[in-house]
Amino acid sequence: MKVPILDLAPAIAELRPQLDAAYARVMDSGWVLLGRELETFESEYAASLGVAHCVGVANGLEAMQLILMAQGIGAGDEVIVPANGYIATWLAVTHVGATPVPCEPDPHTYNLDPARLAGLITARTRAILPINLYGQPADFDAINAIAAQHELFVLEDAAQSHGARCHGRAAGSLGHAAGVSFYPSKNLGALADAGAVTTDDAALAEKIRYLRNYGSKVRYQNEYPGLNSRLSELQAAFLRVKLPHLAAWNARRAALAALYRDQLTGIGDLVLPVVPAWADPVWHLFVVRAARRDALAAHLAAHGIGTQIHYPTPPHRSPAYRDGGWKRGNFPLAEKLAEEVLSLPIGPHHTAGQIEFVCAAIREFFAQPQR
Ligand SMILES: *Cc1c(COP(=O)(O)O)cnc(C)c1O
């Protein structure tokens, strides 16, 4: 048996007739950018979250960058980001000229630790940018309370959390605005790069509509220095096909997560994901921890089981941030996670049999005498 970490082919196959029809609709329309498919997807996606506005953009990185631009956040400003997240979150801050200020994670949920926030806030802090990491919402009640005290903007990185909930509220609606990615591997993925900004703030949404299109809504009238960051009609049409299936596909992921938990509890030093009572995660990834992580990954690979590491290098240790002045040891929790986390296969098209095979291989690894 082979268990790939990710395989898009079965997801495409399941919806192939509808995707083909969406493709034909766009081809027949002769309209490929900023048209009816995008407008319709934007209202459908906003409605699915219970937010007032959704603005489609080219990808998740630019969604966050555009929000920061619209807020006028730039050189001299600080934005608090997770120390252990994906580098795109940091890059959004860097690209507007602001400074990322890393915050260590909660040691159990791996999400930004609200208890550490107050100590990082300075006179220059403008925004907090938590990630709903691996599909689990960050503690937005605590984060929003601290942000309100200090009058800070809260930008939610909702790239991994389509359909997740925090105290019953939808991910993508938890801060002042959210950056969403529809990268193909996400829980709601297009068939190329795509993204969106979601918010209840009408003025912010309106400004993003300018900024995603050279700062213009009327051709050759440029109100702001914007980007070219548009979500194409074709990808919007594909996303409209997939959105109605998101809840069912997330439910399949949840069933597989439950199976992992059932079969892997109490094995060696393996640490399973911790889910607070108020969180309703969508299992974008199923991330375990083990001290002998690399040996475990090699053992699984030998059994035809794909794994990945999210993420092997914390952004402050990445060559891209070599000029940031950070050193090994600055963020010990983030660094320890990078050495121990391992993502196991989980997706709407993995079977229970495949997950049981993965679990058997993991139990076999921990039953072996240590070499
Ligand atoms: C995927 C991802 C992004 C970036 O989204 P793109 O659409 O690839 O630009 C940002 N943050 C997180 C946490 C992600 O997982």
Side-chain angles (χ1 to χ4, degrees), residues 359-371:
C359 293
I362 293 173
R363 285 196 304 265
E364 184 186 88
F365 173 81
F366 283 103
Q368 285 168 357
Q370 203 165 315
R371 280 160 299 180

Side-chain angles (χ1 to χ4, degrees), residues 1 3 256 259 350-359:
M1 187 185 296
V3 190
L256 299 180
L259 186 56
H350 283 112
T351 65
Q354 284 178 309
I355 301 309
E356 281 165 358
F357 180 72
V358 176
C359 293

Side-chain angles (χ1 to χ4, degrees), residues 57-64 85-90 92 129-134 157-162 179-186 192-196 284-285 310-311:
V57 300
N59 55 63
L61 167 58
E62 288 175 358
M64 294 186 283
Y86 184 45
I87 198 166
T89 315
W90 287 46
L129 207 179
I131 305 176
N132 300 320
L133 196 65
Y134 308 148
D157 182 337
Q160 302 188 348
S161 54
H162 315 76
V180 184
S181 168
F182 303 117
Y183 180 76
S185 70
K186 311 292 190 190
D193 281 304
H284 174 60
L285 300 169
H310 297 91
Y311 298 90

